[in-house]
């Protein structure tokens, strides 16, 4: 680049100097030639004058010689010319042209030449190429009596001319030197702006930098105009370039596919998003036809309907379509806006353009949202029903159990009553599951290590899935700790394993994996309810029959089952769903018919915590003699719970509401060891009761009963627990016994 | 250029011959002479007489305005018509020359040029006109000794003359140095 500049500068400057030199040299030479010519004339005139004088002298001095035919005297006269070395010949002639006397210093033997022809005058002369001659009449008494003829060489003139020419040449050389120095000095004024211009132009064309400027020139001559115009031009180009870059950035950086199709349906332009969307790696791949990235159906529709409509000026086409990725198989669902691009001047249709947005992710998210909303509403309905149903079941099951206790072993009513009790138990189990699904069941959140849970379940799972299925367990080292109810966590694993087993009636392979997944922004964007972060992953995969899309969209609905009549409750996966949601996790199914299914469960990873030690349920004898105050507004439940406790040896005080309970507590003279209260009661809630009760009987534990577990029932400073309705007699006694025993352990 | 001398001399000889032959042509008197005929001695002398007038200055007043200058021949006339031919058309200082033939030196009154024929008596009496403004010419030997001014001599077969400058001065005549140059001898003392 530097070489080019320098070369250009040299050549341009050299040219300029050369032109100055040439012009000056030409002028000088022409002037000098004129001078030399004029000088030559002067020399000639001088020579003629000098020769004329000599001829005059000769003529005057030879009159007598001529008149008296004294050639000797004439020769003497002529010999005086020896003092004029330029005279090569001199002759005296008679009036009729007869030679009379001659003088020839260089060639004495030379014959006397004949006089010049032509009319004779007083004096005449002529220059020839090599010499000159002069002829002068000799006059005596006004009459011509002869003439003198002198011939002279031009050596004098030649020498003078040579000298003159030499001087002129020296003057020319000196002048040219001065011209050279001056032009070399002054050419900068001319060349600098031009060289700046050239350099700038070079920078612009090589580096595409339009921000450079030629240093401004003050003069208003053509160069000044050129420089200023060039700068203006650069400013305009820069402005256009910035404008262009803005649009390029806008178009290239958007996530929307923006493309231009020629009237021949060949791709003219496609932005980066477009290339990514159809899997075109190289930028500006030529000769892409719409058939290449539209499925046939859409290519046909475009060609036959959409584009002709635009050509008929019927307006833009806006709608959903599908485009095809070059390498990936499933077509991508897109929203598409197709419009015609008109020539800005003529308004003629120039090409077609389309703005295409990939909405497959949005569609997927919408589907996810729909699913989750569906399950949410089902859950609310199921939860509401289950709660009310629970209270009824407590009575049905409770009295059935009571009656069974009272009947003799051989009573014929016993079988029927046991049938009722079993149905009650089954119904209770169902409602419990429904409550879990609707996330209303009671939970005991603990930090648990997923790998431990799976390991502990291993033996049981083996038994559960049978011998036809190969079970592989792969525990990821990094799986880590999550927060959930340990029992429910086990239930998730068992339910998924059972589901997998049922999908493989003819045997297969069950793969249970644990691990860690770090969800990034993109993963989070495409997975509803997953935010970026670290997750503990449980993956249960089978090689079974797989699922269709339709089935997949409904598997978490309660009571939805593909298994035969009576083979499943349809609540297994619903329960799993409920538990996972409860734990803040999410569950994903990947399945295609015939390809098996994979369930992936994600739990937020608990970083930096160690798993809690599993609390073992105290398994003492489920009897007692302590005094228990029972507060329950529902009469049937109060009676049932009272009877239950009294059968186990407890002393029971009963209250129909909180105020009664407080009154009894105050009035009772003996010691009350435990308060068992419904969480929700008129006049005074369970929690308020517990707090006031604590003032009377400090340190006495409280056991709450509730259909809901989402209430915060943890009064500070109270030893308390919660039992969820409906509960089995064993569950109730176990909870009561557990609280009393814990109190006793603390006291001792 | 010594080796070329013979050629040069030959050249000069030819030139001289030509010059002599061409002399009558000056005056356009071709009719007097046959073609290529060499002019006679007296034809040359007649021409010289006319030419002398051009180099002599007479004392003031001796030549009046518009009057011709008489050229006199005393004694036997050796020229014949040649003199008249030579003088005809010649003008000196605007004055025409005319020939006059006189018998003796008594008749020299008015003459300005006097040719004295080779007559011993005449020659001896030249002294009688020595103080008159008359240019005396003769081809008689020893003319100058007798007080004559110009004496024709023959040298190398050519007509030349000698000049007695003293005699001319005595007569008050001024002879141009031009004429002195072409004279073979110039006597400055009497």
């Amino acid at each position: 680049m530097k070489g080019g500049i320098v070369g250009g500068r040299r050549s341009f400057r050299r040219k300029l100097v050369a032109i100055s030199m040439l012009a000056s040299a030409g002028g000088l030479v022409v002037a000098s030639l004129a001078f030399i010519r004029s000088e030559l004339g002067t020399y000639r005139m001088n020579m003629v004058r000098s020769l004329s004088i000599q001829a005059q002298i000769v003529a005057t001095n030879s009159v007598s010689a001529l008149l008296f035919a004294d050639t000797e005297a004439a020769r003497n006269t002529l010999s005086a010319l020896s003092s004029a070395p330029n005279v090569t010949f001199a002759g005296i002639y008679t009036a009729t042209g007869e030679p009379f006397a001659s003088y020839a210093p260089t060639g004495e033997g030379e014959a006397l030449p004949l006089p010049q022809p032509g009319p004779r005058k007083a004096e005449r002369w002529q220059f020839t190429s090599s010499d000159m001659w002069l002829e002068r009449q000799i006059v005596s008494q006004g009459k011509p009596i002869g003439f003198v003829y002198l011939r002279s060489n031009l050596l004098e003139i030649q020498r003078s001319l040579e000298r003159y020419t030499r001087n002129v040449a020296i003057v020319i050389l000196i002048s040219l030197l001065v011209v050279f120095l001056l032009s070399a000095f002054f050419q900068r004024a001319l060349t600098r702006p031009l060289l700046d211009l050239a350099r700038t132009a070079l920078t612009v064309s090589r580096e595409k930098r339009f921000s450079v400027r030629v240093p401004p020139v003050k003069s208003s001559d053509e160069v000044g105009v050129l420089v200023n115009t060039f700068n203006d031009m650069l400013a305009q180009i820069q402005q256009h370039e910035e404008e262009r870059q803005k649009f390029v950035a806008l178009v290239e950086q958007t996530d929307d596919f923006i493309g231009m199709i020629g009237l021949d349906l060949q791709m003219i332009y496609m932005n980066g998003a477009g290339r990514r969307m159809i899997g075109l790696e190289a930028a500006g791949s030529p000769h892409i036809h719409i058939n290449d990235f539209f499925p046939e159906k859409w290519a046909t529709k475009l060609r036959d309907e959409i584009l002709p409509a635009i050509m008929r000026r019927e307006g833009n086409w806006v709608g959903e379509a599908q485009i095809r990725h070059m390498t990936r198989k499933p077509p991508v669902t897109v929203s598409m806006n197709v419009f015609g691009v008109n020539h800005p001047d003529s308004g003629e249709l120039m090409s077609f353009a389309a703005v295409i947005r990939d909405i497959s992710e949005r569609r997927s998210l919408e589907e996810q949202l729909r699913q989750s909303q569906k399950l949410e509403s089902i859950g609310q309905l199921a939860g509401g029903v289950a709660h009310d149903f629970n209270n009824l079941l407590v009575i049905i099951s409770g009295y059935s159990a009571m009656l069974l206790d009272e009947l003799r072993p051989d009573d014929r009513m016993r079988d029927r009553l046991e049938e009722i009790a079993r149905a009650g138990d089954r119904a209770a189990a169902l409602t419990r599951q429904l409550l879990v699904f609707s996330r209303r069941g009671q939970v005991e959140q603990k930090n648990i290590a997923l790998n431990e849970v799976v390991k502990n379940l291993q033996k049981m799972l083996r038994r559960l899935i049978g011998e036809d299925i190969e079970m592989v367990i792969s525990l990821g080292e990094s799986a880590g700790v999550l927060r959930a109810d340990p029992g429910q966590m086990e239930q998730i694993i068992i339910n998924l394993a059972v589901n997998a087993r049922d999908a493989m009636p003819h045997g297969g392979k069950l793969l249970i994996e644990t691990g860690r997944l770090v969800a990034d922004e993109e993963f989070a964007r495409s997975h509803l309810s997953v935010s970026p972060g670290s997750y503990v992953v449980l993956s249960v995969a089978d090689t079974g029959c797989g699922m269709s899309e339709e089935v997949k969209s409904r598997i978490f609905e309660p009571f939805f089952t593909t298994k035969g009549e009576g083979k499943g409750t349809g609540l297994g996966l619903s329960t799993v769903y409920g538990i996972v949601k409860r734990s803040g996790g999410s569950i994903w199914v990947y399945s295609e018919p015939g390809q098996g299914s994979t369930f992936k469960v994600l739990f937020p990873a608990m970083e930096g915590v160690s798993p809690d030690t599993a609390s073992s349920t105290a398994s003492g004898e489920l009897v007692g003699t302590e005094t228990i105050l029972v507060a329950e507004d529902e009469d049937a439940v109060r009676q049932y719970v009272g009877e239950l406790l009294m059968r186990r040896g407890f002393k029971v005080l009963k209250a129909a509401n909180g105020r009664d309970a407080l009154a009894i507590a105050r009035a009772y003279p003996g010691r009350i060891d435990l308060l068992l209260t419904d969480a929700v009661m008129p006049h005074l809630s369970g929690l308020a009761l517990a707090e006031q009760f604590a003032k009377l009987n400090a340190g006495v534990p409280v056991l709450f009963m509730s259909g809901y577990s989402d209430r915060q029932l943890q009064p500070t400073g109270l030893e308390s627990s919660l039992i969820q309705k409906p509960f089995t007699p064993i569950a109730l006694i176990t909870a009561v016994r557990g609280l009393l025993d814990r109190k006793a352990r603390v006291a001792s | 250029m010594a080796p070329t001398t013979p050629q040069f001399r030959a050249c000069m000889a030819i030139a001289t011959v030509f010059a002599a032959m061409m002399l009558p042509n000056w005056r356009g008197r071709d009719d007097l002479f046959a073609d290529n005929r060499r002019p006679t001695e007296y034809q040359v002398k007649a021409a010289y007489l006319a030419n002398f007038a051009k180099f002599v200055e007479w004392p003031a007043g001796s030549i009046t305005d518009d009057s011709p200058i008489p050229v006199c021949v005393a004694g036997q006339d050796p020229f014949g018509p040649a003199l008249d031919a030579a003088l005809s058309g010649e003008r000196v200082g605007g004055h025409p020359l005319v020939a006059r033939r006189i018998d003796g030196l008594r008749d020299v009154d008015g003459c300005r040029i006097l040719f004295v024929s080779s007559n011993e008596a005449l020659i001896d009496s030249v002294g009688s006109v020595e103080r008159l403004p008359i240019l005396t010419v003769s081809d008689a030997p020893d003319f100058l000794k007798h007080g004559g001014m110009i004496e024709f001599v023959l040298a190398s077969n050519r007509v030349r003359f000698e000049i007695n400058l003293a005699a001319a001065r005595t007569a008050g005549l001024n002879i141009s140095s031009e004429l002195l140059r072409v004279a073979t001898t110039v006597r400055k003392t009497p």
Side-chain angles (χ1 to χ4, degrees):
Chain A
M1 169 182 155
K2 207 140 187 154
I5 277 270
V6 169
R9 175 196 313 166
R10 243 187 220 160
S11 111
F12 177 66
R13 285 187 169 168
R14 228 188 247 164
K15 272 178 196 163
L16 204 65
V17 172
I19 287 168
S20 314
M21 299 280 291
L22 261 170
S24 308
L28 283 170
V29 166
V30 168
S32 302
L33 284 179
F35 281 137
I36 288 170
R37 195 182 162 75
S38 141
E39 200 64 15
L40 181 63
T42 309
Y43 282 137
R44 283 182 166 183
M45 285 318 297
N46 288 343
M47 186 152 184
V48 167
R49 202 172 299 134
S50 129
L51 211 58
S52 168
I53 289 168
Q54 282 166 344
Q56 217 171 311
I57 292 167
V58 169
T60 309
N61 289 335
S62 57
V63 169
S64 58
L66 260 180
L67 287 179
F68 300 103
D70 189 345
T71 55
E72 201 64 40
R75 267 204 297 278
N76 284 342
T77 302
L78 287 176
S79 67
L81 289 172
S82 64
S83 64
N86 58 313
V87 176
T88 54
F89 175 81
I92 296 174
Y93 295 79
T94 65
T96 51
E98 257 59 71
F100 180 69
S102 75
Y103 165 80
T106 53
E108 287 168 59
E110 194 180 302
L112 195 65
L114 287 170
Q116 295 295 327
R120 219 148 267 136
K121 293 186 245 168
E123 184 175 275
R124 56 175 189 153
W125 43 268
Q126 192 183 337
F127 281 89
T128 66
S129 59
S130 58
D131 54 9
M132 72 161 291
W133 57 261
L134 183 137
E135 194 185 274
R136 189 178 178 87
Q137 275 181 336
I138 302 170
V139 178
S140 168
Q141 297 298 322
K143 275 173 68 180
I145 57 169
F147 53 90
V148 181
Y149 174 83
L150 293 181
R151 187 183 290 158
S152 165
N153 62 28
L154 302 177
L155 288 177
E156 186 93 6
I157 290 187
Q158 276 167 13
R159 268 198 293 274
S160 299
L161 267 184
E162 273 168 22
R163 200 166 47 245
Y164 188 78
T165 308
R166 209 160 40 238
N167 289 344
V168 162
I170 288 169
V171 166
I172 286 179
L173 282 178
I174 290 171
S175 305
L176 286 182
L177 186 68
V178 170
V179 165
F180 175 78
L181 292 176
L182 286 178
S183 62
F185 180 73
F186 286 113
Q187 51 90 13
R188 286 158 193 276
L190 271 182
T191 55
R192 193 185 291 120
L194 286 178
L195 291 176
D196 287 345
L197 191 68
R199 201 175 299 118
T200 306
L202 212 63
T203 308
V204 168
S205 88
R206 286 198 180 149
E207 297 172 27
K208 305 276 173 289
R209 270 201 298 140
F210 299 107
S211 56
V212 292
R213 290 286 179 278
V214 183
V217 177
K218 282 207 184 75
S219 68
S220 57
D221 59 5
E222 288 87 342
V223 173
V225 170
L226 185 65
V227 165
N228 292 335
T229 313
F230 189 77
N231 278 343
D232 286 351
M233 212 168 71
L234 274 181
Q236 284 177 27
I237 293 176
Q238 185 184 7
Q239 203 184 338
H240 288 163
E241 180 62 17
E242 279 165 5
E243 200 81 352
R244 194 186 70 84
Q245 278 174 352
K246 212 158 62 194
F247 281 112
V248 166
L250 189 67
V251 171
E252 277 296 325
Q253 290 171 20
T254 178
D255 283 334
D256 286 353
F257 175 152
I258 297 177
M260 229 178 187
I261 304 163
L263 299 178
D264 58 355
L265 306 188
Q266 290 282 342
M267 210 71 203
I268 296 172
Y269 171 76
M270 187 187 287
N271 68 349
R275 291 192 294 273
R276 283 195 297 279
M277 216 178 278
I278 68 165
L280 209 62
E281 294 311 319
S285 295
H287 310 310
I288 300 275
H289 194 270
I290 57 164
N291 288 348
D292 294 334
F293 61 94
F294 277 108
E296 202 185 324
K297 176 191 150 198
W298 279 100
T300 310
K301 188 174 165 69
L302 264 172
R303 199 171 49 239
D304 298 345
E305 294 174 31
I306 299 175
L307 297 183
I310 289 170
M311 287 181 88
R312 290 192 302 271
R313 309 276 180 184
E314 287 173 12
N316 296 0
W317 187 90
V318 181
E320 273 188 24
Q322 286 189 318
I323 61 169
R324 200 163 58 180
H325 191 276
M326 289 297 208
T327 51
R328 264 180 262 145
K329 210 137 174 227
V332 182
T333 306
V334 294
S335 77
M336 183 163 77
N337 183 348
V338 188
F339 52 97
V341 178
N342 298 331
H343 193 279
D345 296 330
S346 66
E348 245 172 85
L349 184 69
M350 217 164 55
S351 57
F352 302 107
V355 177
I356 297 170
R357 177 171 292 177
D358 183 350
I359 56 167
S360 56
E361 201 169 84
R362 201 175 76 201
R363 281 277 169 278
S364 155
L365 283 176
E366 281 170 4
E367 180 58 26
Q368 288 174 29
L369 185 65
R370 214 172 52 75
Q371 286 290 335
S372 105
Q373 280 173 342
K374 181 182 75 184
L375 292 171
E376 191 71 29
S377 52
I378 293 172
Q380 269 177 9
L381 178 68
V385 172
H387 178 257
D388 287 343
F389 199 52
N390 250 352
N391 284 338
L392 304 176
L393 279 177
V394 170
I395 297 160
I396 294 170
S397 298
Y399 280 106
S400 302
M402 242 184 275
L403 280 177
L404 278 172
D405 276 358
E406 286 172 5
L407 282 183
R408 288 189 313 272
D410 56 344
D411 198 300
R412 59 187 178 95
M413 299 290 277
R414 192 171 187 91
D415 287 351
R416 296 167 196 175
L417 196 55
E418 279 176 350
E419 217 34 63
I420 292 170
R422 270 200 293 277
D425 286 347
R426 278 207 304 278
L430 270 177
T431 49
R432 218 172 14 251
Q433 280 180 301
L434 273 177
L435 282 169
V436 169
F437 167 69
S438 62
R439 283 173 267 159
R440 289 178 183 182
Q442 182 203 2
V443 290
E444 199 177 350
Q445 300 274 16
K446 283 191 168 138
N447 294 334
I448 49 179
L450 178 58
N451 286 352
E452 289 301 312
V453 177
V454 177
K455 254 186 256 171
N456 291 340
L457 279 176
Q458 208 165 343
K459 214 175 272 179
M460 185 200 149
L461 288 172
R462 187 78 64 193
R463 271 200 309 278
L464 202 63
I465 62 170
E467 288 166 359
D468 292 340
I469 294 167
E470 183 196 351
M471 184 176 79
V472 177
I473 292 179
S474 163
L475 301 176
E477 289 291 317
S478 58
V481 177
L482 57 89
R483 189 163 179 84
D485 184 297
Q488 289 190 335
M489 191 66 233
E490 287 176 359
Q491 203 174 352
I492 290 173
I493 298 167
I494 293 166
N495 282 12
L496 288 175
V498 167
N499 188 67
R501 180 199 64 194
D502 293 345
M504 297 183 286
H506 308 297
K509 190 172 164 185
L510 170 69
L511 175 63
I512 299 176
E513 276 181 297
T514 63
R516 182 70 77 103
L517 181 143
V518 177
D520 57 12
E521 291 284 349
E522 197 184 331
F523 185 88
R525 206 164 46 236
S526 57
H527 291 75
L528 191 75
S529 80
V530 174
S531 43
S534 190
Y535 290 87
V536 177
V537 183
L538 168 71
S539 165
V540 178
D542 65 59
T543 56
C545 51
M547 286 175 276
S548 67
E549 281 292 322
E550 208 262 327
V551 170
K552 211 158 69 179
S553 70
R554 298 189 60 192
I555 46 167
F556 295 119
E557 286 177 28
F559 306 112
F560 175 80
T561 179
T562 55
K563 298 166 191 173
E565 193 74 27
K567 281 183 99 179
T569 58
L571 282 170
L573 291 178
S574 307
T575 307
V576 169
Y577 181 86
I579 297 169
V580 169
K581 286 284 158 191
R582 188 76 181 271
S583 315
S586 55
I587 183 163
W588 306 93
V589 193
Y590 305 91
S591 180
E592 274 180 52
Q595 301 288 314
S597 308
T598 300
F599 286 81
K600 275 188 197 293
V601 188
L602 274 61
F603 296 98
M606 305 299 291
E607 306 290 357
V609 294
S610 48
D612 299 334
T613 45
S615 61
S616 53
T617 314
S619 57
E621 208 174 331
L622 296 175
V623 290
T625 55
E626 289 89 346
T627 305
I628 295 170
L629 174 56
V630 176
E632 166 67 63
D633 60 329
E634 194 88 20
D635 289 345
V637 175
R638 190 171 64 244
Q639 293 300 331
Y640 162 66
V641 170
E643 290 237 23
L644 202 61
L645 290 170
M646 282 189 286
R647 275 164 194 269
R648 297 286 171 164
F650 293 102
K651 187 160 195 230
V652 176
L653 305 171
K654 284 185 257 186
N657 56 55
R659 273 187 307 212
D660 288 357
L662 273 180
I664 291 169
R666 279 193 203 98
Y668 187 68
R671 171 186 165 84
I672 297 173
D673 298 297
L674 186 137
L675 171 64
L676 174 63
T677 175
D678 191 5
V680 183
M681 286 183 296
H683 307 306
L684 196 63
S685 76
L687 188 60
L689 167 65
E691 278 166 355
Q692 296 197 22
F693 177 79
K695 289 172 188 162
L696 298 172
N697 301 277
V700 174
V702 179
L703 178 60
F704 293 98
M705 297 177 286
S706 175
Y708 298 94
S709 65
D710 48 359
R711 296 267 177 82
Q712 199 64 34
L713 289 170
Q714 296 285 325
T716 46
L718 284 179
E719 190 66 42
S720 67
S721 188
L722 178 100
I723 183 164
Q724 191 168 10
K725 291 179 184 173
F727 42 77
T728 58
I730 299 297
L732 178 69
I733 301 300
T734 305
V736 169
R737 195 64 262 163
L739 267 176
L740 288 171
D741 290 350
R742 204 184 310 162
K743 176 79 174 58
R745 269 204 304 279
V746 171
S748 66
Chain B
M1 293 289 168
T4 58
T5 308
Q7 285 94 330
F8 179 69
R9 221 179 270 143
C11 189
M12 284 298 111
I14 294 165
T16 310
V17 169
F18 270 120
M21 278 166 59
M22 290 309 152
L23 273 177
N25 287 352
W26 302 344
R27 286 164 292 191
R29 288 279 172 259
D30 291 4
D31 53 319
L32 284 179
F33 309 100
D35 281 2
N36 293 333
R37 242 179 52 198
R38 205 186 148 169
T40 61
E41 184 187 336
Y42 280 94
Q43 276 177 330
V44 172
K45 286 178 178 169
Y48 279 19
L49 278 181
N51 285 346
F52 287 147
K54 297 166 185 171
F55 298 96
V56 174
E57 210 177 292
W58 283 270
S62 54
I63 294 174
T64 52
D65 288 348
D66 300 330
S67 63
I69 297 171
V71 177
C72 304
V73 177
Q76 195 190 351
D77 180 9
F79 299 103
L83 182 63
D84 294 290
L87 295 183
S88 138
E90 285 288 350
R91 293 178 91 87
V92 175
H95 303 277
L97 300 176
V98 290
R100 191 192 294 171
R101 287 166 183 84
I102 54 176
D103 294 332
L105 294 184
R106 284 176 309 272
D107 303 329
V108 295
D109 189 29
C111 288
R112 287 296 169 263
I113 294 172
L114 174 67
F115 181 82
V116 184
S117 63
S118 277
N119 180 300
E120 213 164 308
L122 281 175
I123 296 303
D124 288 343
S125 61
V126 158
S128 61
V129 297
E130 67 179 356
R131 294 209 173 265
L132 294 174
I134 298 169
L135 182 72
T136 52
V137 183
S138 175
D139 47 6
D142 297 334
F143 178 60
L144 298 189
K145 285 178 187 161
H146 287 90
M149 294 174 193
I150 294 174
E151 178 185 321
F152 284 118
V153 293
L154 280 176
S156 312
N157 215 17
R158 290 180 61 207
V159 178
R160 305 309 306 159
F161 52 85
E162 295 174 353
I163 294 178
N164 185 346
L165 196 54
R169 279 188 189 140
T170 307
L173 297 183
N174 196 1
I175 296 177
S176 158
S177 61
E178 283 284 294
L179 192 64
L180 300 179
R181 210 152 55 82
V182 294
T184 49
T185 314
V186 176
R187 290 189 185 189
K188 292 184 179 166
T189 51

